[in-house]
Amino acid sequence: MKLLFKNIKGLVGAFDAPPGVRSGAEMDQLPVIEHAWLAVEDGIIADFGSMEDWPGISDWRGLEIEDADGKYILPGWVDSHTHLVYAASREQEFEDRIKGLTYQEIAARGGGILNSARKLADASEEELFESALKRADALIRFGTTAFEIKSGYGLTLETELKMLRVVRRLKEVLPVPVRATFLGMHAVPESYKTNPDAYVKHVIEDMLPAVADEGLADYVDAFLEDGYFSAAQTLELLRAATAYGMKGKVHVNQFTATGGVRTCVEAGALSVDHLEELIDDDIAALKGSSTMPVALPSCSFFLGIPYTPARRIIDAGLPLALASDNNPGSTPSGNMNLVVALACIKMKMTPAEAITAATINAAHALEIGSHAGSIHPGAPANMILTEKMPSLAYLPYAFGENHIERVYINGKVYEGA
Ligand code: NIG
Ligand code: FE
């Protein structure tokens, strides 16, 4: 089965070979081939070029031609940070915040992550799977063609495994790459309140080996934050996880910056996510490292907290990735189009930088850059076909609307999981 797109107004993020991490000024240099063609064969990107060099077609059999006049083709979004598996929404907390309570005050009253953990304890694996599948399906329609999904609303051995088994089933049924992250250290459960170190020990000595034993997670994560887990506790987890070949993707600097980024970088973390607060030493630590900083602007928007200082990060020559943080507490949206728009509007990223951050760099934040995040020969044809647009910048400019005409997964129009 061959599919040939012609007259594409702009073919975005197309490379001859999978691109590496894009850092600093490179992030703005997103390749866009104007007036392009793209060939897909058996679900895989075969070739592309400018319409000036329209390919000579010798064999028309089984060839479908799609006229993309006025439309753009982009690699699908890669969402490298989600909490897609959860039992219930938390709009009561949303109303409480509108009335003046902060995220931390709500958590201190037993709301927040512990609220989600109580609800998840009562939900069956089947219910969790069905609801997460529905969310993933809706997000693929919004252009997300790779996901990371975390546990972290279990906080007991059994419930963390339950969440990760749901993620395993999602990996099996979803037609896009899915990476799983074990987030046992998301919050200290009520039963360990007076002895958080004992909980860390339980996570590291009991949960982590069980997770690894079943091969349920690719990465580990912890909420490194005042009132949650310290840098020392996070370091213990990261070191223990190394023995199982699992790298860290750590929630850090959401509300306070106290040097946790350096700890994560030195422990070889794959990514440090949030970074709404950032000190100069965080930048210094990230320089020369292979740890990807990840910003989550929809979380800042929803909670009314600062946005990750993207300009400081990029202008220091560092890379940056963007992700949704989709979760019931701080970001009940997984729409990556909105993430890209917020990055431009609120973080002063150029459209090219934001698209790079949500595709190429995001794929590297999940170690899937060889087959996701860009258009290159040999990659699965997981792509966004936009509606007719006057320019690529129109995508984040006309925010809050859906400019996607179709999403292609493995070269086929996506019609549901
Ligand atoms: O990334 N900050 C920690 N974890 C999530 C929020 C979890 C929740 O409130 O349920 C986040 O924002
Ligand atoms: Fe998160």
Side-chain angles (χ1 to χ4, degrees), residues 81-83 150 153 183 186 221 251 254 273-274 296 299 324-327 330-331:
H81 181 140
T82 85
H83 308 249
K150 300 174 191 296
Y153 290 131
L183 176 53
H186 200 189
D221 190 352
H251 283 75
Q254 184 174 7
D273 300 35
H274 274 289
L296 312 164
C299 174
S324 75
D325 198 15
N326 192 6
N327 75 76
S330 74
T331 324

Side-chain angles (χ1 to χ4, degrees), residues 92-363:
Q92 182 56 51
E93 296 178 9
F94 169 61
E95 289 198 43
D96 290 344
R97 267 200 325 281
I98 291 170
K99 290 181 184 147
L101 287 183
T102 64
Y103 181 84
Q104 293 96 316
E105 283 165 347
I106 291 165
R109 294 171 157 197
I113 295 162
L114 296 184
N115 179 2
S116 280
R118 279 191 297 274
K119 290 181 171 138
L120 187 127
D122 297 332
S124 72
E125 192 176 310
E126 194 56 34
E127 286 164 346
L128 292 171
F129 170 72
E130 290 300 334
S131 60
L133 182 63
K134 212 166 147 205
R135 279 175 213 125
D137 173 63
L139 292 171
I140 294 172
R141 291 169 201 273
F142 273 130
T144 300
T145 61
F147 295 93
E148 181 256 21
I149 308 176
K150 300 174 191 296
S151 68
Y153 290 131
L155 310 180
T156 69
L157 174 62
E158 269 319 308
T159 51
E160 283 294 306
L161 291 176
K162 176 167 75 174
M163 284 190 83
L164 288 169
R165 288 183 190 129
V166 170
V167 180
R168 178 170 62 192
R169 285 179 69 185
L170 293 169
K171 277 190 186 195
E172 285 161 8
V173 303
L174 287 172
V176 297
V178 174
R179 303 287 267 166
T181 301
F182 167 52
L183 176 53
M185 281 167 57
H186 200 189
V188 178
E190 207 63 53
S191 51
Y192 284 89
K193 211 171 168 185
T194 54
N195 194 357
D197 278 334
Y199 181 64
V200 172
K201 193 165 182 282
H202 179 44
V203 168
I204 293 174
E205 292 183 5
D206 306 320
M207 293 193 202
L208 180 61
V211 167
D213 211 42
E214 270 192 62
L216 287 173
D218 303 295
Y219 304 112
V220 296
D221 190 352
F223 190 8
L224 199 176
E225 185 57 61
D226 282 357
Y228 293 84
F229 297 96
S230 67
Q233 290 169 328
T234 304
L235 182 59
E236 266 188 72
L237 171 76
L238 296 178
R239 284 199 178 133
T242 306
Y244 296 101
M246 287 186 235
K247 292 183 196 160
K249 292 178 69 64
V250 184
H251 283 75
V252 58
N253 287 29
Q254 184 174 7
F255 303 112
T256 54
T258 54
V261 169
R262 180 171 287 282
T263 305
C264 297
V265 169
E266 289 178 358
L270 179 61
S271 71
V272 281
D273 300 35
H274 274 289
L275 312 178
E276 289 87 342
E277 301 295 330
L278 202 69
I279 55 175
D280 288 344
D281 186 61
D282 298 331
I283 303 250
L286 284 162
K287 276 195 181 161
S289 81
S290 53
T291 304
M292 178 70 75
V294 180
L296 312 164
S298 301
C299 174
S300 299
F301 175 71
F302 189 70
L303 292 186
I305 61 175
Y307 286 82
T308 303
R311 286 268 55 96
R312 264 172 76 199
I313 294 171
I314 298 170
D315 295 346
L318 292 170
L320 183 64
L322 288 166
S324 75
D325 198 15
N326 192 6
N327 75 76
S330 74
T331 324
S333 161
N335 184 346
M336 287 293 288
N337 304 282
L338 179 64
V339 168
V340 168
L342 286 173
C344 296
I345 299 163
K346 294 294 197 179
M347 295 160 63
K348 303 287 175 231
M349 291 173 74
T350 64
E353 287 173 335
I355 293 169
T356 300
T359 55
I360 302 166
N361 284 357

